[in-house]
Amino acid sequence: MHTECPIPVSADETVRLGHGSGGELSQRLLREYIYPHFDNAWTVQAHDSATLPRIGGRTVFTTDSFVVSPLFFPGGNIGELAVYGTVNDLAMSGARPLYLSCSLILEEGLPMKTLAAVMASMGRAAAATGVQLVTGDTKVVEKGKGDGLFINTAGIGSLEHVLSIAPDRIQPGDSILLSGDIGRHGMAVMARREGLEFDGPLLSDCAPLHEPVLALLEAGINVHCLRDLTRGGLATALVELAEGSRRQFSLRENDIAITEPVLGACEMLGLDPLYVANEGRFVAFVPPHQAQQALAILQKCPVSADSRAIGTVSASEAAEVILRNSIGCERLLDRLPGEQLPRIC
Amino acid sequence: MHTECPIPVSADETVRLGHGSGGELSQRLLREYIYPHFDNAWTVQAHDSATLPRIGGRTVFTTDSFVVSPLFFPGGNIGELAVYGTVNDLAMSGARPLYLSCSLILEEGLPMKTLAAVMASMGRAAAATGVQLVTGDTKVVEKGKGDGLFINTAGIGSLEHVLSIAPDRIQPGDSILLSGDIGRHGMAVMARREGLEFDGPLLSDCAPLHEPVLALLEAGINVHCLRDLTRGGLATALVELAEGSRRQFSLRENDIAITEPVLGACEMLGLDPLYVANEGRFVAFVPPHQAQQALAILQKCPVSADSRAIGTVSASEAAEVILRNSIGCERLLDRLPGEQLPRIC
């Protein structure tokens, strides 16, 4: 059970350098602010490492650091992002997420209230996703040498199937499924950063994606490839997969859902929503004869309820992504050459 | 084969925000600066996660973030530290280190030459230790929001024995072995930071510790507990273990080796070497009848050639650490209450 704020936090307490020195203050930080949110057999032992039960199937290992600014944004915060981001990297290889590590780099002066809220949120996200947060580390840097809070999570999952899910399995004829509307995470963060206001709600899509992926696999869908859409958005993910598979993808622009607030914010900031970051969206490549079944499975999961087929893999071996709009005009998607939105995840 | 600088680095190139955006610049950073140093089956695939072969025995999982300042110090740098620190956390549970992740948080403006040197050093450290660096992540924060370079490594190892190596296995009569002289890492970093010069060499002890640990286990030593001496030094590690085991430890000050340069630097800065950080030292608790054999094994490994027995576990249940000096005076060691040396690892 994780409640909103299980620890009484003094209104003006802040992180001090001593919280990272390995002494009494470090112990207090762990006992009061971190362990209560990750109450399991491993945090009770408070070791430097966690010994795990035998993992069935092959082991999948991944890591991500999270430096999103601001720490709290409409629809989420850095703590949820740190859990879901790594859960999603595991899910995209078809693995069941099992264990996470959590390593914090705190800036001196960070309000303890902020840390407490982020940790509570991580605890809830881990519980909701069914992963155990089993090991961690905390460092403190001087004021001006960090940005409040950076979080690294590494993750371990198990592959319970024999499929190889990878770009080189993408085949001509494959249907390309997209799990929902795009661009909300990036624009929610940017809107908060730039102080923009919109008529409609503009909330991050930040969410765990293991449920729809495991549902596809359990139903026997021969999933060829999966990719979550993070930095660089839908376009960058597809360009990378086209290059990795040496295949041509044809997309129908009309089938790619983008909400009005995202379109409005992108227009205002001069951004292309196809390149804006998501944190709860993915594409799946499946054989054409299973596309309808796969779509129905995705649509049954709340996080991917708005899934659509957005295109197909062509017979051509040109490694490119072609977007066709409603009047038949074609546009070739490319990697953006330079700076995209920084500090988005 | 890792050579000193396999990549021609332009003298004035620096990290830009675009290197962290997931686009073309991010790809170049990976291809040119990171993958060449971790040339294995996983980095070739360039996936977001690594699928590992089945791990024999139980799996051990750990993580550490490294924020040492300065990035280069006498005897090492943040890259080696990031490999050895996590290898050592795995070793201290008696595991064979197998796989590491590497997550970088770069500050805009970091010279590419610095990044190249650190990555080359990580590559060499991984190769020397026999671990594979299989997955990673790179983020960039704006100038002034970081401190050059932070590195997180998470590690996976395998337990190939059935011993439980933990504080609650420490027994009255156990011999306490220390793997070498103490305090060099912390004082090498501090000396560089404070611009201090000494007559003798003052080099960090930064080194991997899996070799002596695995040698003890392979020889059938019934190792009760292991702990590497990092932040807080020998004293903090032993106080934590005394509390964790609810045992009293009696130490002989004369048997704890400290070099002249460390003593001199500690005196100058008003520090107690018992509390200064190490990055290549550990204590082992072994049954008295195996102490001589264990010591001989440790002394055969270069990294622990100067191992000594420094004390014993008493029959008393007082959770405390007593240090006895050459004229028989006793001192009770405690956790330091407040700030110790920050940014040491």
Side-chain angles (χ1 to χ4, degrees):
Chain A
M1 251 322 271
H2 293 95
T3 53
E4 186 57 42
C5 193
I7 303 148
V9 178
S10 135
D12 52 358
E13 222 187 326
T14 59
V15 169
R16 291 153 51 186
L17 284 176
H19 282 117
S21 67
E24 185 56 37
L25 270 176
S26 299
Q27 290 299 317
R28 269 196 49 206
L29 183 83
L30 288 171
R31 278 197 311 267
E32 295 176 16
Y33 289 93
I34 298 181
Y35 291 155
H37 303 293
F38 308 108
D39 185 16
N40 58 43
W42 295 275
T43 52
V44 163
Q45 293 172 35
H47 283 182
D48 275 348
S49 63
T51 300
L52 307 175
R54 198 174 286 271
I55 292 167
R58 287 170 295 165
T59 298
V60 179
F61 185 31
T62 191
T63 189
D64 254 325
S65 285
F66 297 85
V67 299
V68 64
S69 171
L71 299 176
F72 289 79
F73 47 81
N77 65 65
I78 190 172
E80 282 167 59
L81 209 56
V83 171
Y84 297 150
T86 292
V87 159
N88 291 350
D89 276 350
L90 293 172
M92 291 306 120
S93 63
R96 181 180 301 279
L98 296 173
Y99 305 105
L100 294 189
S101 64
C102 168
S103 185
L104 307 174
I105 299 178
L106 309 174
E107 185 191 13
E108 184 186 15
L110 177 75
M112 282 296 189
K113 279 203 285 199
T114 305
L115 180 63
V118 170
M119 289 296 108
S121 189
M122 280 193 88
R124 284 191 301 270
T129 317
V131 291
Q132 303 282 350
L133 209 144
V134 296
T135 189
D137 179 50
T138 307
K139 294 291 192 305
V140 180
V141 297
E142 298 88 352
K143 202 165 175 61
K145 302 294 187 184
D147 196 17
L149 170 60
F150 301 142
I151 304 181
N152 175 278
T153 49
I156 289 178
S158 68
L159 277 187
E160 296 162 357
H161 55 81
V162 295
L163 289 182
S164 150
I165 296 176
D168 61 12
R169 285 198 64 236
I170 294 175
Q171 298 298 320
D174 275 1
S175 188
I176 305 173
L177 311 181
L178 170 62
S179 73
D181 67 302
I182 60 167
R184 277 203 275 121
H185 176 71
M187 295 325 297
V189 173
M190 279 307 290
R192 168 59 54 94
R193 212 140 82 188
E194 305 291 322
L196 304 179
E197 298 273 346
F198 299 95
D199 283 350
L202 180 41
L203 299 179
S204 166
D205 47 60
C206 174
L209 297 172
H210 62 300
E211 195 188 336
V213 169
L214 295 176
L216 290 176
L217 295 170
E218 278 156 20
I221 302 293
N222 184 2
V223 176
H224 287 162
C225 191
L226 298 165
R227 183 65 60 98
D228 56 339
L229 315 177
T230 55
R231 290 181 286 185
L234 175 66
T236 303
L238 289 177
V239 169
E240 280 180 12
L241 292 177
E243 290 176 357
S245 61
R246 303 215 51 79
R247 299 287 176 193
Q248 189 187 60
F249 305 159
S250 295
L251 307 182
R252 298 176 298 271
E253 191 175 38
N254 274 0
D255 289 325
I256 299 170
I258 308 173
T259 63
E260 279 303 323
V262 169
L263 281 174
C266 280
E267 214 159 277
M268 201 176 296
L269 296 168
L271 297 167
D272 182 341
L274 293 173
Y275 291 87
V276 173
N278 310 265
E279 287 290 342
R281 294 291 178 256
F282 70 105
V283 287
F285 290 73
V286 298
H289 70 279
Q290 290 188 311
Q292 280 312 310
Q293 187 193 351
L295 205 53
I297 291 166
L298 294 180
Q299 288 167 347
K300 266 191 213 146
C301 297
V303 74
S304 51
D306 297 326
S307 292
R308 296 190 202 175
I310 61 164
T312 52
V313 178
S314 317
S316 161
E317 284 186 12
E320 56 190 22
V321 182
I322 296 166
L323 184 70
R324 185 172 286 116
N325 73 8
S326 52
I327 56 167
C329 291
E330 290 189 348
R331 170 185 163 201
L332 199 66
L333 298 185
D334 207 349
R335 273 203 178 84
L336 282 193
E339 329 270 334
Q340 298 179 45
L341 296 180
R343 310 285 303 277
I344 258 343
C345 58
Chain B
M1 249 324 271
H2 292 94
T3 54
E4 185 59 39
C5 192
I7 303 148
V9 177
S10 132
D12 53 359
E13 220 188 326
T14 59
V15 169
R16 290 153 52 186
L17 285 176
H19 283 117
S21 66
E24 186 55 37
L25 270 176
S26 300
Q27 290 299 318
R28 268 195 50 206
L29 183 83
L30 288 170
R31 279 197 311 266
E32 296 176 14
Y33 290 92
I34 299 180
Y35 291 156
H37 304 293
F38 308 108
D39 184 15
N40 58 44
W42 294 275
T43 52
V44 163
Q45 293 172 34
H47 282 183
D48 275 348
S49 62
T51 300
L52 308 175
R54 197 173 287 272
I55 292 166
R58 287 171 294 166
T59 299
V60 178
F61 184 30
T62 190
T63 189
D64 254 325
S65 286
F66 297 85
V67 300
V68 64
S69 172
L71 298 176
F72 289 79
F73 46 81
N77 65 65
I78 191 172
E80 283 168 58
L81 209 57
V83 171
Y84 296 150
T86 292
V87 160
N88 291 349
D89 277 349
L90 293 171
M92 291 305 121
S93 63
R96 182 181 299 278
L98 297 174
Y99 305 105
L100 294 189
S101 65
C102 169
S103 185
L104 306 175
I105 299 177
L106 309 174
E107 185 190 12
E108 183 187 15
L110 177 75
M112 282 297 188
K113 279 204 285 199
T114 304
L115 180 63
V118 170
M119 289 297 108
S121 189
M122 279 192 89
R124 284 192 300 271
T129 318
V131 291
Q132 302 282 351
L133 209 144
V134 296
T135 189
D137 180 49
T138 306
K139 294 291 192 305
V140 181
V141 297
E142 298 89 352
K143 203 165 174 60
K145 301 296 187 183
D147 195 16
L149 171 59
F150 301 142
I151 304 181
N152 175 278
T153 49
I156 289 179
S158 68
L159 277 187
E160 296 162 358
H161 54 81
V162 294
L163 289 181
S164 148
I165 296 176
D168 61 11
R169 286 198 64 235
I170 294 174
Q171 298 298 320
D174 275 2
S175 188
I176 305 173
L177 311 180
L178 170 62
S179 73
D181 66 303
I182 60 167
R184 277 202 276 123
H185 175 70
M187 295 325 296
V189 173
M190 279 306 290
R192 168 59 53 93
R193 210 139 84 189
E194 304 292 321
L196 303 180
E197 298 273 346
F198 298 96
D199 283 348
L202 180 41
L203 299 180
S204 166
D205 47 60
C206 173
L209 297 172
H210 61 299
E211 194 189 335
V213 168
L214 294 176
L216 290 176
L217 295 170
E218 277 156 21
I221 302 293
N222 183 3
V223 177
H224 288 162
C225 191
L226 298 165
R227 182 64 61 97
D228 56 338
L229 313 178
T230 55
R231 290 182 286 186
L234 175 67
T236 303
L238 290 177
V239 169
E240 280 180 12
L241 292 178
E243 290 175 358
S245 61
R246 303 216 53 77
R247 300 288 175 191
Q248 189 187 58
F249 305 159
S250 295
L251 307 181
R252 298 176 299 271
E253 192 175 37
N254 273 0
D255 289 324
I256 299 171
I258 307 172
T259 64
E260 279 303 321
V262 168
L263 280 174
C266 280
E267 213 158 280
M268 200 175 298
L269 296 168
L271 296 167
D272 182 341
L274 293 173
Y275 290 88
V276 173
N278 310 264
E279 286 291 342
R281 295 290 178 257
F282 69 105
V283 287
F285 290 74
V286 298
H289 70 280
Q290 291 187 311
Q292 279 314 309
Q293 188 194 351
L295 205 52
I297 292 166
L298 293 180
Q299 288 166 347
K300 266 191 214 147
C301 297
V303 74
S304 52
D306 297 325
S307 291
R308 296 189 201 174
I310 61 163
T312 53
V313 178
S314 319
S316 162
E317 284 186 12
E320 56 189 24
V321 182
I322 297 166
L323 184 71
R324 187 173 283 115
N325 73 10
S326 55
I327 56 166
C329 289
E330 290 189 348
R331 170 184 163 201
L332 199 66
L333 298 186
D334 206 349
R335 274 201 177 85
L336 283 192
E339 330 271 332
Q340 298 178 45
L341 297 182
R343 310 284 304 274
I344 262 334
C345 57

